[in-house]
Amino acid sequence: ELIDFRGRLISILQLMITFGIVVASCINAIIISTTSGDLEWRLALSIQIVPAFVLWGLIIILPFSPRWLLMRGKEEQARQTVARLRALPADDLEVEAEFRDILAGFEAERRAGEAGFRELMRKGILNRVAIAMTIQMFQQWTGINVILYYASSIFESMGFGASDSSIIFVIVNSMINCLATFPGMWL
């Protein structure tokens, strides 16, 4: 059950990222079609400050994670946090079971000892780290980020007009990206 819940959260995170790309594309389209010169990039940059301040303000009400509280020896506060996150009383069996799972994982990690950066260089681990880093590098280098970032230039080089390339096609591309997230949420 917890694994399904985490999977849903990751899917929702990806959906929110792609939805944010759609919103940013629409805002950029409005800015491009209504302003000119230095005001374009200044306005686009300034608008990004608004959600940053909203997130900064909302982070104040977020509780500390139960694992972080356990690391600081605040066991009862960790249990209360699990109860608050589950919207259940602290003495509920589900809260207690989840808290015990978190506590067992924390204790197992403590018994295993501290892991340092040097462990990544051990034989058998280094090759896995190198493979993971290489895959991520190529994903960033050749993936959707390149297409989204250079979309208007790509469309323009394909022979479409500058206006269509920088407004309409970019919005359509980001909407397709967002809509394509939905099938992945159920696979």
Side-chain angles (χ1 to χ4, degrees):
E1 178 186 312
L2 188 59
I3 291 172
D4 289 341
F5 181 70
R6 288 181 182 163
R8 276 184 261 142
L9 287 178
I10 295 298
S11 295
I12 291 169
L13 172 68
Q14 182 62 36
L15 179 63
M16 292 298 103
I17 289 170
T18 58
F19 179 72
I21 292 169
V22 171
V23 170
S25 297
C26 292
I27 290 171
N28 284 338
I30 292 168
I31 291 171
I32 289 169
S33 60
T34 59
T35 62
S36 63
D38 282 349
L39 185 60
E40 283 182 354
W41 71 266
R42 290 174 194 231
L43 190 57
L45 192 61
S46 300
I47 289 173
Q48 295 175 43
I49 294 171
V50 174
F53 276 122
V54 170
L55 287 174
W56 181 74
L58 290 176
I59 202 165
I60 294 168
I61 64 172
L62 283 176
F64 290 111
S65 87
R67 294 178 53 77
W68 185 86
L69 291 166
L70 285 173
M71 286 172 41
R72 279 147 184 79
K74 300 177 180 181
E75 191 170 312
E76 188 52 40
Q77 197 175 347
R79 181 181 279 110
Q80 294 295 329
T81 299
V82 171
R84 179 178 168 201
L85 292 172
R86 290 286 178 198
L88 295 169
D91 58 353
D92 188 85
L93 293 176
E94 187 178 328
V95 169
E96 187 61 31
E98 184 172 346
F99 177 73
R100 289 287 158 215
D101 284 346
I102 293 169
L103 185 61
F106 174 72
E107 292 296 333
E109 287 176 12
R110 190 183 326 186
R111 282 191 304 273
E114 293 288 320
F117 184 74
R118 198 175 303 209
E119 276 193 57
L120 294 175
M121 303 303 165
R122 284 187 14 221
K123 185 178 181 182
I125 301 293
L126 182 60
N127 61 336
R128 291 181 179 112
V129 171
I131 290 169
M133 289 176 65
T134 303
I135 289 171
Q136 288 301 308
M137 181 190 73
F138 281 111
Q139 189 276 328
Q140 294 295 317
W141 195 16
T142 63
I144 190 68
N145 293 340
V146 171
I147 306 249
L148 291 173
Y149 189 77
Y150 293 107
S152 61
S153 300
I154 293 169
F155 291 131
E156 216 171 310
S157 69
M158 292 169 65
F160 295 104
S163 178
D164 289 344
S165 295
S166 59
I167 297 176
I168 297 170
F169 293 145
V170 170
I171 292 173
V172 169
N173 188 41
S174 60
M175 285 181 172
I176 291 170
N177 181 33
C178 185
L179 291 173
T181 304
F182 284 100
M185 294 175 75
W186 286 278
L187 292 178

